[in-house]
Amino acid sequence: MTVSRQFKGSHPILQEFVLRCKNFADLLYDEVLILDRDYNVIMANQALLHNKGWAADEVAGRRCHEVSHGSSEPCQSPNTPCPLVEALASGSRSRVTHIHRDKQGKECFEDIAASPISDENGNVVGIIELMRDITEEVELRKALEQRNADLATLNSIIVAGGKGLTEEKLLTYALDQILENTGMDAGWILLREENSRSLRCIKRLGVSEEFIKAILSLPTDKTLCGLAATKGQVAMVDNLSQDPRVTHPTITHEGLRAFMCVPLRADSKLLGSISVAGRDPASPQASRLQQLVAIGDQLGIIVANVRLNSSLRQYAHELEEARRRREQSASVVSHELKGVLAVLSGYTQLLRKRLESQLPQADLGKGLEIINAQTNRLNRLVDDMRDVSAIESGRLTLVKARCDAVGLSRDVIQGQQALTQKHILLLDSSEEHVEGEWDCDRIRQVIDNLVNNAIKYSPNGGEVKVSIERRKDEVLVSVKDQGLGIAQKELRHLFHPYARVHKEIKGLGLGLFICSGIIKSHGGRVWVESQEGKGSTFYFTLPLR
Ligand code: ADP
């Protein structure tokens, strides 16, 4: 307990108060200061001297604002109301939190409760202040508030993830939230291209397009955000513009200083990276980096879910389409069957009647021809249905032998040309023979089907060209026509069973599916290029070895 030299001259009531509480005050952990009306320190307890590291004579006889704020004037201001002034003015208790500095200049928070000491007439003769260092509490509260804000950010991103947003919208929202939470000025999210090491920027905020272009122009292992996206490395830099690893002038000229970058990760799979940066010199804090890492991990999982959902939706849509086509096809097939059977039964009855009658039999041949054609149609239908089910169940068997793609194409062209005069069928091959080990009947079936389609879907005639080109390990066969062509949006489903585009022209929608099944089971590829109204080219390859 330190009692100042002003003690003697102070108000007797104040003196009596000091004497009564001095022993008790030294027992307290809280700091106690007794002041007269002129802000003079009349008494300071042990806890105060000890905590502040002051010697008794540094405090005794000085004014409170000199002691705690190092200022010659009372420290009343709108931001730091002085509890002493308030208690003197109001005659009642006052409580505030002040920011003080200890002898090392470290900022500390003080909870100050000032109570007036009054005489028997209610006149305030002095003030007793109880002070408690609440720096730890304040820091804990701040950390807790930050943690809550972090959790709120994370939560809002998780909630957004469940709202069925597109990947781009979700990441844009997340970046907004992250910048708000970290207080950074700029940010960008890079995503890895599927099945490749290259990156694309899905969203940038607060940085120029040139800056992002410069980053993307560099190899991924030469940028911090590239390393985060491809190697999972985390980066935290005080001054990005002066970091020795950053050499591209466009990147340094952007003027970014504090910088953090973390991977966007779904379990062990790296999807990309999130970068945030600030233009003022404040260093990013390690705790902010941890939060960003947590966001990167959560956001990665959400993005993976969004992707999964969208492929599930796509899959469901395709299943629905397939179901719809199958339903349609069932009616098309049964209609086709009924048609054939009606003709067959009509002509058989007709022939029977003719045979039973005594009429001349000269035109029986025509009827038999029709019966024969219908039987062939029926056979083809049955063959197609059998092929479809074999392909769908992966049971298509191939009988491989040496065959020649040029020879097979020539045969098909000759056969099909005999059936049309509106079309000119051409063969284009620089070699007489291009041979491989394939199922000859099946490959003939494919070429026949493609040439037949080229004719069928060129109702105004035109040229149909079959080209054969030997490549390194494969032969490329194409069938090009000048017919109706196919709209872009239809191309994706064209090789699915029962896919039909030109419904005005008769067909079952099985030919291309069967062609594709045959080519794929040979280890080849099949695709189409087409422009509506301009014609189509169907391609397939077959391995030569
Ligand atoms: P189908 O000809 O019996 O309908 P395909 O499976 O052979 O069955 O063909 C599926 C659909 O693809 C056809 O209905 C047609 O609309 C379209 N198509 C096929 N080949 C061509 C082509 N050369 N030109 C334009 N459309 C075609």
Side-chain angles (χ1 to χ4, degrees):
M1 157 70 76
T2 294
V3 176
S4 76
R5 61 188 150 76
Q6 274 89 351
F7 172 75
K8 290 252 162 60
S10 64
H11 196 286
I13 299 276
L14 193 57
Q15 288 186 23
E16 189 190 330
F17 185 87
V18 168
L19 291 175
R20 260 199 276 139
C21 76
K22 69 177 185 180
N23 293 336
F24 170 68
D26 276 343
L27 297 175
L28 297 177
Y29 281 108
D30 283 352
E31 299 164 4
V32 181
L33 202 58
I34 296 177
L35 305 154
D36 67 13
R37 290 192 60 98
D38 299 324
Y39 311 110
N40 292 311
V41 175
I42 302 295
M43 185 211 94
N45 77 340
Q46 285 302 327
L48 189 137
L49 298 179
H50 174 263
N51 292 350
K52 298 283 187 297
W54 289 325
D57 53 5
E58 281 179 294
V59 178
R62 302 182 64 190
R63 296 192 155 166
C64 68
H65 43 86
E66 292 170 344
V67 173
S68 53
H69 293 278
S71 126
S72 56
E73 293 299 319
C75 48
Q76 174 82 335
S77 84
N79 291 337
T80 53
C82 173
L84 177 66
V85 173
E86 306 238 328
L88 282 174
S90 65
S92 51
R93 293 191 302 175
S94 157
R95 189 169 182 182
V96 293
T97 300
H98 266 195
I99 303 174
H100 289 171
R101 291 196 179 273
D102 65 9
K103 287 189 89 181
Q104 282 75 42
K106 188 177 162 277
E107 202 172 62
C108 42
F109 294 85
E110 204 109 41
D111 175 50
I112 307 175
S115 304
I117 304 163
S118 311
D119 62 14
E120 61 279 8
N121 301 320
N123 300 315
V124 179
V125 296
I127 296 288
I128 176 166
E129 284 188 349
L130 258 83
M131 295 180 283
R132 200 152 51 87
D133 187 340
I134 54 164
T135 311
E136 242 174 56
E137 275 170 57
V138 170
E139 276 168 3
L140 266 176
R141 196 174 344 116
K142 275 190 189 166
L144 204 63
E145 277 166 14
Q146 185 60 58
R147 189 95 199 103
N148 281 344
D150 290 351
L151 285 175
T153 305
L154 206 54
N155 193 40
S156 72
I157 293 173
I158 292 170
V159 169
K163 283 189 180 158
L165 299 180
T166 60
E167 192 173 310
E168 189 180 342
K169 284 204 173 126
L170 171 72
L171 290 173
T172 303
Y173 175 79
L175 189 57
D176 263 337
Q177 295 293 308
I178 293 168
L179 290 193
E180 200 179 309
N181 176 259
T182 53
M184 295 288 213
D185 311 303
W188 57 99
I189 296 183
L190 305 183
L191 287 184
R192 294 177 72 158
E193 296 285 9
E194 199 74 21
N195 301 326
S196 113
R197 282 180 62 90
S198 61
L199 300 171
R200 76 192 151 95
C201 177
I202 188 125
K203 189 70 197 168
R204 71 180 160 89
L205 287 172
V207 280
S208 65
E209 202 180 333
E210 287 66 40
F211 172 82
I212 297 292
K213 274 192 189 151
I215 288 179
L216 295 179
S217 71
L218 295 168
T220 50
D221 57 352
K222 292 281 177 279
T223 61
L224 295 171
C225 35
L227 283 167
T230 56
K231 298 256 163 41
Q233 288 182 13
V234 166
M236 186 162 87
V237 171
D238 281 351
N239 193 338
L240 188 70
S241 303
Q242 281 174 14
D243 193 273
R245 290 166 289 186
V246 181
T247 50
H248 198 295
T250 315
I251 301 179
T252 44
H253 284 160
E254 192 74 22
L256 297 175
R257 303 181 69 127
F259 169 78
M260 289 189 285
C261 176
V262 299
L264 190 63
R265 196 198 308 260
D267 295 328
S268 55
K269 198 171 171 215
L270 289 166
L271 307 180
S273 65
I274 309 171
S275 304
V276 292
R279 291 178 199 282
D280 75 43
S283 317
Q285 297 160 354
S287 61
R288 315 302 308 125
L289 186 69
Q290 275 168 19
Q291 157 74 352
L292 201 58
V293 169
I295 290 182
D297 287 349
Q298 283 293 334
L299 193 55
I301 292 170
I302 297 169
V303 168
N305 273 340
V306 167
R307 286 182 182 174
L308 191 66
N309 272 340
S310 104
S311 36
L312 278 179
R313 268 201 300 274
Q314 179 65 28
Y315 185 57
H317 176 73
E318 274 168 16
L319 274 182
E320 177 55 28
E321 282 282 293
R323 193 194 57 77
R324 207 177 44 74
R325 278 200 300 273
R326 219 167 272 273
E327 254 174 37
Q328 248 179 16
S329 72
S331 71
V332 174
V333 171
S334 71
H335 184 260
E336 183 86 359
L337 276 176
K338 276 189 193 144
V340 174
L341 291 175
V343 178
L344 276 180
S345 109
Y347 270 90
T348 338
Q349 279 177 33
L350 191 77
L351 286 182
R352 192 161 51 86
K353 279 191 190 141
R354 273 297 173 88
L355 285 170
E356 282 167 7
S357 74
Q358 298 307 311
L359 291 170
Q361 310 288 309
D363 52 351
L364 281 186
K366 179 95 181 98
L368 284 172
E369 249 175 50
I370 292 173
I371 291 180
N372 189 36
Q374 292 304 312
T375 317
N376 287 342
R377 218 172 120 198
L378 199 59
N379 264 331
R380 274 201 307 276
L381 189 64
V382 172
D383 283 351
D384 277 0
M385 300 304 291
R386 202 189 46 211
D387 286 350
V388 168
S389 102
I391 291 168
E392 280 186 330
S393 59
R395 283 186 290 103
L396 187 72
T397 45
L398 300 177
V399 185
K400 288 192 183 173
R402 198 90 197 129
C403 17
D404 173 17
V406 183
L408 288 175
S409 305
R410 191 176 292 117
D411 287 354
V412 169
I413 287 176
Q414 271 171 11
Q416 295 270 3
Q417 183 68 82
L419 305 173
T420 174
Q421 280 156 13
K422 274 207 276 184
H423 303 85
I424 301 164
L425 273 58
L426 301 169
L427 179 67
D428 174 24
S429 171
S430 57
E431 294 187 45
E432 264 308 293
H433 306 285
V434 179
E435 293 189 343
E437 290 288 318
W438 311 309
D439 184 324
C440 304
D441 288 343
R442 288 298 193 182
I443 299 306
R444 188 198 309 271
Q445 183 185 350
V446 171
I447 303 172
D448 194 62
N449 204 314
L450 295 181
V451 172
N452 187 270
N453 275 356
I455 294 171
K456 188 160 106 177
Y457 296 105
S458 304
N460 300 324
E463 197 180 275
V464 174
K465 185 155 80 182
V466 181
S467 306
I468 293 126
E469 184 189 326
R470 183 194 291 276
R471 292 182 158 187
K472 199 162 160 258
D473 293 324
E474 60 184 20
V475 56
L476 172 70
V477 181
S478 62
V479 179
K480 181 176 169 57
D481 65 53
Q482 301 169 321
L484 300 175
I486 303 156
Q488 285 302 305
K489 65 175 170 49
E490 306 283 359
L491 292 178
R492 226 159 58 88
H493 304 294
L494 211 61
F495 295 94
H496 292 178
Y498 308 108
R500 301 223 62 234
V501 183
H502 307 291
K503 303 213 172 80
E504 68 286 1
I505 298 173
K506 241 176 151 215
L508 288 176
L510 296 177
L512 289 180
F513 174 68
I514 296 171
C515 289
S516 146
I518 293 173
I519 296 300
K520 283 182 186 158
S521 63
H522 276 84
R525 291 165 288 130
V526 56
W527 69 99
V528 58
E529 285 169 7
S530 187
Q531 241 187 315
E532 207 172 1
K534 296 241 168 95
S536 316
T537 308
F538 284 81
Y539 298 87
F540 69 85
T541 62
L542 286 170
L544 286 173
R545 277 176 263 275

